[in-house]
Amino acid sequence: MVKERRDVRKSKNAIKNAFIQLIINQDIRKITVNDILTLADVSRGTFYAHFLDIYDVQEQVENDLMDRCMQVIGENSIDDVIDDPYPPILKCIQFLMEHAETIRSLSQGNQNGAFITKYKVILKESLFKSSHSITNEVTLSVIDACIVGAVVEGGLEKIIRDIPLNAEETAQIISRFISRGVKGMIE
């Protein structure tokens, strides 16, 4: 695999970071390529060498954010989450809180929008790919729904609505929900 050149990576990151700064302060529909170019201090050619348009930048920023979140979640197997959901859920909530402004801006305040749907799909795929000892697909789907639902409802949607939350307290509530739901299903 060929590694991306440092200057290419640096210009792409500058464009993405400029985009994030802009969406935090204004509606994405009002952002122009020139706004991004000025803030990122790159040329028009550099922009179009890496991105098709502003929505392509948005998609790549979303994917980068979700990839990093999945790395946080993927550090644990589903078995670990079932046994003790608090540590991985706490890490996930802390990550979401750390990127709250970007998440709110990307979702444009819409809890039912494409960002949430995309997040749920990627979270589900990540959990399915993680190591686990569950062989029954139905059980795995129910456990996944329980975990994904808890994280999205308990954390992500509150962040999007800008509802203040405490990471530890939120992780405890979500962990209890997961434990009760999964244990009730298994028993």
Side-chain angles (χ1 to χ4, degrees):
M1 185 171 161
V2 177
K3 190 171 182 179
E4 190 173 52
R5 288 188 354 228
R6 184 178 179 269
D7 62 326
V8 170
R9 191 172 53 250
K10 187 176 177 184
S11 63
K12 284 170 97 172
N13 286 337
I15 292 167
K16 289 179 201 176
N17 288 333
F19 175 80
I20 291 169
Q21 287 178 333
L22 290 167
I23 63 167
I24 288 172
N25 296 313
Q26 65 189 57
D27 186 327
I28 188 174
R29 295 169 292 197
K30 295 180 181 173
I31 297 172
T32 67
V33 170
N34 285 335
D35 295 334
I36 295 172
L37 296 175
T38 302
L39 192 56
D41 196 23
V42 296
S43 70
R44 186 171 289 279
T46 301
F47 180 89
Y48 287 110
H50 304 304
F51 304 98
L52 300 173
D53 56 22
I54 290 173
Y55 297 102
D56 187 32
V57 178
Q58 177 182 2
E59 185 172 349
Q60 289 191 33
V61 167
E62 287 175 359
N63 291 342
D64 288 351
L65 183 67
M66 290 182 192
D67 286 346
R68 290 194 318 252
C69 188
M70 294 313 116
Q71 288 173 347
V72 169
I73 292 168
E75 293 171 358
N76 300 282
S77 72
I78 294 177
D79 297 324
D80 294 338
V81 176
I82 292 169
D83 290 341
D84 186 9
Y86 180 76
I89 297 300
L90 178 60
K91 279 185 183 178
C92 183
I93 297 300
Q94 288 170 332
F95 176 86
L96 295 173
M97 288 176 70
E98 183 179 321
H99 300 282
E101 279 187 301
T102 304
I103 291 167
R104 272 192 295 279
S105 299
L106 288 169
S107 69
Q108 299 176 7
N110 183 355
Q111 303 91 274
N112 300 318
F115 180 80
I116 293 289
T117 302
K118 185 176 182 178
Y119 182 82
K120 286 178 180 178
V121 168
I122 290 173
L123 182 57
K124 181 177 182 168
E125 287 173 3
S126 178
L127 286 169
F128 268 59
K129 289 177 186 174
S130 74
S131 61
H132 56 80
S133 62
I134 302 164
T135 55
N136 183 315
E137 288 296 317
V138 174
T139 302
L140 184 61
S141 292
V142 172
I143 290 171
D144 165 70
C146 187
I147 293 170
V148 172
V151 171
V152 171
E153 300 286 329
L156 190 62
E157 289 188 4
K158 286 181 180 168
I159 287 168
I160 289 171
R161 288 190 229 141
D162 202 11
I163 297 171
L165 48 106
N166 173 297
E168 293 80 12
E169 196 174 283
T170 302
Q172 286 174 348
I173 292 167
I174 293 171
S175 297
R176 282 193 300 269
F177 173 80
I178 291 170
S179 292
R180 287 180 185 152
V182 170
K183 287 183 179 141
M185 185 196 76
I186 292 173
E187 294 171 354

